Amino acid sequence: MTYVKPQFRHPDAVTNELGCTRKDYEGGLSTLCAGCGHDSISAAIIDACFQLSIEPHKVAKLSGIGCSSKTPAYFLNGSHSFNSVHGRMPSVATGANLANRDLIYIGVSGDGDTASIGMGQFAHVARRNLNMTYIVENNGCYGLTKGQDSATMDTGSANKKGDVNLYSPIDLVRVGIEVGATFVGRSFSGDKAQLVPLIKAALSHRGFALLDVISPCVTFNNHDASTKSYATFRGSNEPMPVDFVPRREAITTSYDAGKVHEVCMHDGSVLRLQKVNKEYDIEDPQSALQAIADHAKEGRVLTGLLYINRDGEELHDVLGTVRRPLNTLTEQELCPGSKFLDSINAGLR
Ligand SMILES: Cc1ncc(C[n+]2csc(CCOP(=O)(O)OP(=O)(O)O)c2C)c(N)n1
Ligand code: SF4
């Protein structure tokens, strides 16, 4: 078996506004199990960045530990990357973002990495509204360490050995809304039509964008007794179709006006949502939480953009940092001088 990707490019390959082909957004060859949902999410990230004509070197990919956290190696070869410690990606992302606000931050985590060891870090990075896209590749288990139940595993769902989970699951989208995430979506690795526009919208959002993506683990959690298998999830999913319109394109309404909700992003791009059967206000956190809970009561998982707050101040606004990235400031600009420091010290006495 070879681990070298062929470099051949089709001469007629479609290019984006930068003149790049989709191949320019790929990464190394995946070593995940064939059919793993995580690979589909990497493909969706590649599509989203290619379609948005993002310059790969303007992206910083960050992750924790897990099969999911390995995936930044499989997309955007030309980007900055940091594979951190289990559950600690948020603090690394916070430090990097504060030092250089001009990069686009994509964090990739697993349900084990986020909902157990990294739960505290996750809550605080969301609460601080750090400007980043945070993707949880949620398979209900710890894939890398051979399939133990994670905290997002549903009560009554069984693992491969047949052990039934007795505990209540943590629903990360509900936690995200409660702690202050300003963009919260859920999708399914197998639903590219919904996932790609959601990632594009998350990348265009100014603030903390959480995407909880159900991503079946074909090796340890893809059997009939699991609620996160391909078959079970397809049956219980209530998808809210989404369509992302970049700001450069003329915005036209192609849907039945009564059934479409348009969300204008900060950069002028538009996210079009086609409503699910029960309408609710996606800009009202209580309304969003109620809709998610109502669907869960009926045994259905609501997917799509579930909540957005377009007026939240991101961390740099709250801290009042200078517009120029801190890592470009000179020592002279960073050091206020002894006179100024003396006056600060005097004010503290
Ligand atoms: C501090 C620490 N504790 C435990 C581990 C062992 N460990 C590695 S990955 C992992 C869980 C991975 O699960 P998840 O984040 O859901 O990712 P998946 O592999 O399912 O994609 C654990 C417990 C570790 N690497 N570091
Ligand atoms: S063990 Fe599961 S999560 Fe890990 S690569 Fe294989 S299928 Fe994916």
Side-chain angles (χ1 to χ4, degrees):
M1 187 194 274
T2 174
Y3 287 97
V4 179
K5 267 195 175 181
Q7 289 305 306
F8 173 76
R9 280 162 206 225
H10 194 285
D12 297 331
V14 179
T15 53
N16 63 13
E17 285 178 9
L18 300 173
C20 297
T21 64
R22 188 183 178 283
K23 206 165 179 44
D24 295 314
Y25 292 81
E26 290 180 355
L29 199 66
S30 173
T31 57
L32 302 186
C33 309
C36 176
H38 299 351
D39 279 335
S40 307
I41 301 172
S42 298
I45 294 171
I46 291 170
D47 281 350
C49 293
F50 167 67
Q51 289 172 22
L52 286 176
S53 297
I54 289 174
E55 293 169 276
H57 70 275
K58 294 265 176 72
V59 174
K61 312 171 286 183
L62 304 138
S63 61
I65 298 289
C67 299
S68 35
S69 292
K70 285 168 70 178
T71 65
Y74 313 138
F75 60 84
L76 299 186
N77 250 349
S79 301
H80 307 273
S81 195
F82 197 99
N83 188 197
S84 74
V85 180
H86 201 21
R88 278 24 173 225
M89 176 264 281
S91 49
V92 176
T94 305
N97 187 310
L98 283 175
N100 188 354
R101 61 191 291 172
D102 277 357
L103 294 179
I104 296 166
Y105 290 89
I106 302 177
V108 179
S109 180
D111 41 306
D113 195 63
T114 289
S116 287
I117 195 166
M119 192 62 165
Q121 296 230 344
F122 166 69
H124 289 283
V125 75
R127 176 175 81 92
R128 289 180 177 140
N129 201 20
L130 189 75
N131 190 16
M132 73 177 296
T133 296
Y134 188 113
I135 299 175
V136 182
E137 304 191 342
N138 187 351
N139 53 20
C141 72
Y142 297 173
L144 191 71
T145 51
K146 307 247 180 290
Q148 300 86 347
D149 290 347
S150 82
T152 65
M153 176 75 120
D154 294 303
T155 320
S157 182
N159 63 20
K160 199 178 178 181
K161 285 190 189 156
D163 299 332
V164 175
N165 177 41
L166 306 173
Y167 307 108
S168 302
I170 291 174
D171 184 343
L172 288 169
V173 299
R174 293 198 222 184
V175 176
I177 295 171
E178 286 283 2
V179 297
T182 48
F183 179 112
V184 178
R186 177 156 47 205
S187 193
F188 175 48
S189 61
D191 186 355
K192 223 175 174 185
Q194 185 193 57
L195 183 55
V196 175
L198 262 186
I199 295 174
K200 286 161 78 175
L203 291 169
S204 306
H205 176 71
R206 198 159 166 273
F208 187 79
L210 167 68
L211 289 178
D212 175 31
V213 187
I214 309 301
S215 176
C217 168
V218 287
T219 302
F220 298 111
N221 205 14
N222 192 36
H223 45 90
D224 291 347
S226 162
T227 54
K228 297 226 173 2
S229 66
Y230 280 108
T232 317
F233 191 79
R234 281 211 168 96
S236 64
N237 175 18
E238 177 96 46
M240 189 191 286
V242 292
D243 179 17
F244 181 83
V245 185
R247 72 189 143 144
R248 292 170 295 273
E249 284 177 21
I251 293 163
T252 53
T253 299
S254 55
Y255 294 120
D256 179 342
K259 290 187 176 166
V260 172
H261 182 71
E262 290 194 340
V263 182
C264 191
M265 314 298 286
H266 283 105
D267 62 359
S269 53
V270 171
L271 188 66
R272 284 199 194 115
L273 306 169
Q274 216 169 337
K275 290 283 184 184
V276 282
N277 53 357
K278 283 181 196 153
E279 299 214 351
Y280 75 92
D281 180 3
I282 61 158
E283 302 199 37
D284 172 16
Q286 290 315 320
S287 181
L289 288 168
Q290 192 61 52
I292 296 163
D294 289 347
H295 278 80
K297 237 184 261 163
E298 293 165 16
R300 301 191 71 76
V301 184
L302 187 59
T303 61
L305 177 64
L306 305 177
Y307 171 67
I308 188 167
N309 169 6
R310 286 169 294 172
D311 303 322
E313 290 190 311
E314 65 119 330
L315 188 57
H316 283 280
D317 303 331
V318 175
L319 295 177
T321 53
V322 288
R323 182 62 202 85
R324 256 176 70 200
L326 297 185
N327 66 344
T328 65
L329 299 181
T330 60
E331 197 180 333
Q332 217 172 6
E333 288 167 304
L334 285 169
C335 179
S338 51
K339 247 193 189 167
F340 193 70
L341 283 176
D342 285 346
S343 72
I344 294 176
N345 286 337
L348 298 172
R349 281 195 188 103

